[in-house]
Amino acid sequence: MSESFDFIVVGKGMMGAAAGRHLALSGARVALVGPDEPGDWANHGGVFSSHYDNARITRTIDDDPVWARLAKRSIDRYDEIAAQSGVDFYAEVGCLIAGPAPGGSYDYIEKVARARDALGVEAPLLDEGALAERFAWFRFPGGFAGIHEAQGAGYINPRALVLAQTICAEKAGARIVRSEVASVSQAGDRVVVTTVDGATLDAGRVIVAAGGFSLSDTLLPRPIDLVVKARTVFFAEVAARDLPAYDRMPSLIGAAPEQAKSYYLLPPVAYADGKHYIKIGGDPTDRVLDSEAEVRAWFRGSAGAGAAEHMSGLLNEVMPGFRPASTHFRPCVTSFTRHGFPYIGFAGGDRIAALTGGNGQAAKSSDEIGRLGAMLVMEGRIDDPAYETDFAVSFR
């Protein structure tokens, strides 16, 4: 027997859980389908998710106005989600973006300022001297400036946010199915979803929010133009005695024209082992994962030692006074779309929609991305003139 719904969301990650919440709040019959995080990554044969972490930067300031609006609308709903779920996931410690000062050939800071002004966000531009005075934790190259967003920015715990969204969806009536999906197929005017343990569900429309696993040839009717890149994340432990020195340290984005000099950095965050870690990311080169099997293998592996060594060097440059108590690194993936925005569109016909492609920026904005995905399947289109893109899916 198949359970029937109005809508099914395949993928219980950041975008999928958000879409499930918004659909359930509409009063529709909704199923949110996806497995929980595995306990043993190395021996896990199923799917993974990039939200298996405790810290992602959140901020409105961005060099693109679409991403800035996606972020602001999501951040504005954080309190509502936390209150409805009873789960805290947001730390408002602020965010600093630092890069070459305005007036040169690299105009990232100027673009951030324009997007900031368009949304009326309070985030002053700081010159080289002000950066050194206000942010003693960091050392930047000469000629750098920064934009600091003190309120409405900081970091979120993506594991906790997914839990909060799932709780809210279930409270609103959604059915949570904690299983991996084996296939999605259209049968007349219905879409059938089959899980790996043999259960079947059907709905009038389905959202596939599978992140890098959207490369699978069993989930979407047509292969989408999605580039999945292997990423390494470096963790540096902060000794308990040193933690007070990093109180109110903001999240940091270091912008540079060269990929090898660009990075993101999180302040000390508590993890399940009871320790606090400063996290830094910024792979110097790209490794593309061409298949779902390669994505699974990357998550089961030990990530890139060379990339980790590079990030250790970046951390030493920007925080020369910091001495880690220990270090380690882990794998992650980032999915990139052709137009640089999330794919929020139908993937052939008007029954199965794709909701994927975070482009390294979607964690903070996932609630608004999920809302737009819910709008798509409820109304058949995205009707929001505030955005300068239609988020359409591109195909291979």
PDB file of all heavy atoms in Angstrom, residues 89-102:
ATOM      1  N   PHE A  89      19.423  27.716  17.573  1.00  0.00           N
ATOM      2  CA  PHE A  89      20.400  27.356  16.544  1.00  0.00           C
ATOM      3  C   PHE A  89      21.220  28.547  16.062  1.00  0.00           C
ATOM      4  O   PHE A  89      22.080  28.392  15.192  1.00  0.00           O
ATOM      5  CB  PHE A  89      19.687  26.721  15.340  1.00  0.00           C
ATOM      6  CG  PHE A  89      18.602  27.591  14.745  1.00  0.00           C
ATOM      7  CD1 PHE A  89      18.894  28.588  13.839  1.00  0.00           C
ATOM      8  CD2 PHE A  89      17.280  27.406  15.114  1.00  0.00           C
ATOM      9  CE1 PHE A  89      17.904  29.392  13.299  1.00  0.00           C
ATOM     10  CE2 PHE A  89      16.273  28.205  14.577  1.00  0.00           C
ATOM     11  CZ  PHE A  89      16.589  29.196  13.669  1.00  0.00           C
ATOM     12  N   TYR A  90      21.000  29.731  16.621  1.00  0.00           N
ATOM     13  CA  TYR A  90      21.585  30.954  16.071  1.00  0.00           C
ATOM     14  C   TYR A  90      22.376  31.689  17.141  1.00  0.00           C
ATOM     15  O   TYR A  90      21.882  31.911  18.245  1.00  0.00           O
ATOM     16  CB  TYR A  90      20.467  31.832  15.522  1.00  0.00           C
ATOM     17  CG  TYR A  90      20.842  33.238  15.115  1.00  0.00           C
ATOM     18  CD1 TYR A  90      21.997  33.501  14.387  1.00  0.00           C
ATOM     19  CD2 TYR A  90      20.011  34.309  15.440  1.00  0.00           C
ATOM     20  CE1 TYR A  90      22.314  34.797  14.005  1.00  0.00           C
ATOM     21  CE2 TYR A  90      20.321  35.602  15.057  1.00  0.00           C
ATOM     22  CZ  TYR A  90      21.472  35.839  14.343  1.00  0.00           C
ATOM     23  OH  TYR A  90      21.790  37.124  13.974  1.00  0.00           O
ATOM     24  N   ALA A  91      23.613  32.070  16.809  1.00  0.00           N
ATOM     25  CA  ALA A  91      24.453  32.875  17.695  1.00  0.00           C
ATOM     26  C   ALA A  91      24.757  34.200  16.999  1.00  0.00           C
ATOM     27  O   ALA A  91      25.443  34.224  15.964  1.00  0.00           O
ATOM     28  CB  ALA A  91      25.746  32.143  18.022  1.00  0.00           C
ATOM     29  N   GLU A  92      24.258  35.273  17.560  1.00  0.00           N
ATOM     30  CA  GLU A  92      24.405  36.591  16.935  1.00  0.00           C
ATOM     31  C   GLU A  92      25.714  37.238  17.407  1.00  0.00           C
ATOM     32  O   GLU A  92      25.725  38.128  18.244  1.00  0.00           O
ATOM     33  CB  GLU A  92      23.207  37.480  17.276  1.00  0.00           C
ATOM     34  CG  GLU A  92      23.142  38.755  16.443  1.00  0.00           C
ATOM     35  CD  GLU A  92      21.923  39.602  16.796  1.00  0.00           C
ATOM     36  OE1 GLU A  92      21.658  39.789  18.008  1.00  0.00           O
ATOM     37  OE2 GLU A  92      21.226  40.063  15.884  1.00  0.00           O
ATOM     38  N   VAL A  93      26.822  36.770  16.843  1.00  0.00           N
ATOM     39  CA  VAL A  93      28.131  37.320  17.201  1.00  0.00           C
ATOM     40  C   VAL A  93      28.645  38.302  16.160  1.00  0.00           C
ATOM     41  O   VAL A  93      29.732  38.877  16.313  1.00  0.00           O
ATOM     42  CB  VAL A  93      29.159  36.191  17.405  1.00  0.00           C
ATOM     43  CG1 VAL A  93      28.739  35.274  18.543  1.00  0.00           C
ATOM     44  CG2 VAL A  93      29.372  35.391  16.122  1.00  0.00           C
ATOM     45  N   GLY A  94      27.889  38.510  15.087  1.00  0.00           N
ATOM     46  CA  GLY A  94      28.294  39.426  14.037  1.00  0.00           C
ATOM     47  C   GLY A  94      29.139  38.747  12.971  1.00  0.00           C
ATOM     48  O   GLY A  94      29.613  37.621  13.139  1.00  0.00           O
ATOM     49  N   CYS A  95      29.318  39.435  11.864  1.00  0.00           N
ATOM     50  CA  CYS A  95      30.123  38.924  10.749  1.00  0.00           C
ATOM     51  C   CYS A  95      30.930  40.064  10.151  1.00  0.00           C
ATOM     52  O   CYS A  95      30.418  41.169   9.937  1.00  0.00           O
ATOM     53  CB  CYS A  95      29.247  38.286   9.675  1.00  0.00           C
ATOM     54  SG  CYS A  95      30.181  37.637   8.258  1.00  0.00           S
ATOM     55  N   LEU A  96      32.179  39.779   9.889  1.00  0.00           N
ATOM     56  CA  LEU A  96      33.089  40.723   9.252  1.00  0.00           C
ATOM     57  C   LEU A  96      33.515  40.182   7.901  1.00  0.00           C
ATOM     58  O   LEU A  96      33.933  39.023   7.800  1.00  0.00           O
ATOM     59  CB  LEU A  96      34.318  40.930  10.143  1.00  0.00           C
ATOM     60  CG  LEU A  96      35.467  41.757   9.561  1.00  0.00           C
ATOM     61  CD1 LEU A  96      35.050  43.211   9.347  1.00  0.00           C
ATOM     62  CD2 LEU A  96      36.704  41.680  10.472  1.00  0.00           C
ATOM     63  N   ILE A  97      33.381  40.998   6.866  1.00  0.00           N
ATOM     64  CA  ILE A  97      33.938  40.672   5.557  1.00  0.00           C
ATOM     65  C   ILE A  97      35.123  41.598   5.325  1.00  0.00           C
ATOM     66  O   ILE A  97      34.977  42.827   5.380  1.00  0.00           O
ATOM     67  CB  ILE A  97      32.900  40.837   4.437  1.00  0.00           C
ATOM     68  CG1 ILE A  97      31.751  39.833   4.596  1.00  0.00           C
ATOM     69  CG2 ILE A  97      33.557  40.655   3.067  1.00  0.00           C
ATOM     70  CD1 ILE A  97      30.690  39.923   3.513  1.00  0.00           C
ATOM     71  N   ALA A  98      36.285  41.022   5.093  1.00  0.00           N
ATOM     72  CA  ALA A  98      37.494  41.815   4.884  1.00  0.00           C
ATOM     73  C   ALA A  98      38.090  41.490   3.515  1.00  0.00           C
ATOM     74  O   ALA A  98      38.058  40.343   3.065  1.00  0.00           O
ATOM     75  CB  ALA A  98      38.523  41.520   5.978  1.00  0.00           C
ATOM     76  N   GLY A  99      38.614  42.511   2.867  1.00  0.00           N
ATOM     77  CA  GLY A  99      39.207  42.328   1.555  1.00  0.00           C
ATOM     78  C   GLY A  99      39.908  43.598   1.116  1.00  0.00           C
ATOM     79  O   GLY A  99      39.928  44.599   1.849  1.00  0.00           O
ATOM     80  N   PRO A 100      40.484  43.600  -0.080  1.00  0.00           N
ATOM     81  CA  PRO A 100      41.140  44.809  -0.580  1.00  0.00           C
ATOM     82  C   PRO A 100      40.219  46.011  -0.538  1.00  0.00           C
ATOM     83  O   PRO A 100      39.046  45.927  -0.887  1.00  0.00           O
ATOM     84  CB  PRO A 100      41.501  44.430  -2.018  1.00  0.00           C
ATOM     85  CG  PRO A 100      41.666  42.936  -1.975  1.00  0.00           C
ATOM     86  CD  PRO A 100      40.624  42.465  -1.012  1.00  0.00           C
ATOM     87  N   ALA A 101      40.739  47.140  -0.069  1.00  0.00           N
ATOM     88  CA  ALA A 101      39.933  48.345   0.129  1.00  0.00           C
ATOM     89  C   ALA A 101      39.354  48.847  -1.186  1.00  0.00           C
ATOM     90  O   ALA A 101      39.917  48.609  -2.270  1.00  0.00           O
ATOM     91  CB  ALA A 101      40.778  49.430   0.778  1.00  0.00           C
ATOM     92  N   PRO A 102      38.215  49.534  -1.121  1.00  0.00           N
ATOM     93  CA  PRO A 102      37.612  50.100  -2.329  1.00  0.00           C
ATOM     94  C   PRO A 102      38.582  51.009  -3.072  1.00  0.00           C
ATOM     95  O   PRO A 102      39.455  51.644  -2.484  1.00  0.00           O
ATOM     96  CB  PRO A 102      36.418  50.887  -1.779  1.00  0.00           C
ATOM     97  CG  PRO A 102      36.080  50.229  -0.489  1.00  0.00           C
ATOM     98  CD  PRO A 102      37.388  49.763   0.081  1.00  0.00           C
TER      99      PRO A 102
END
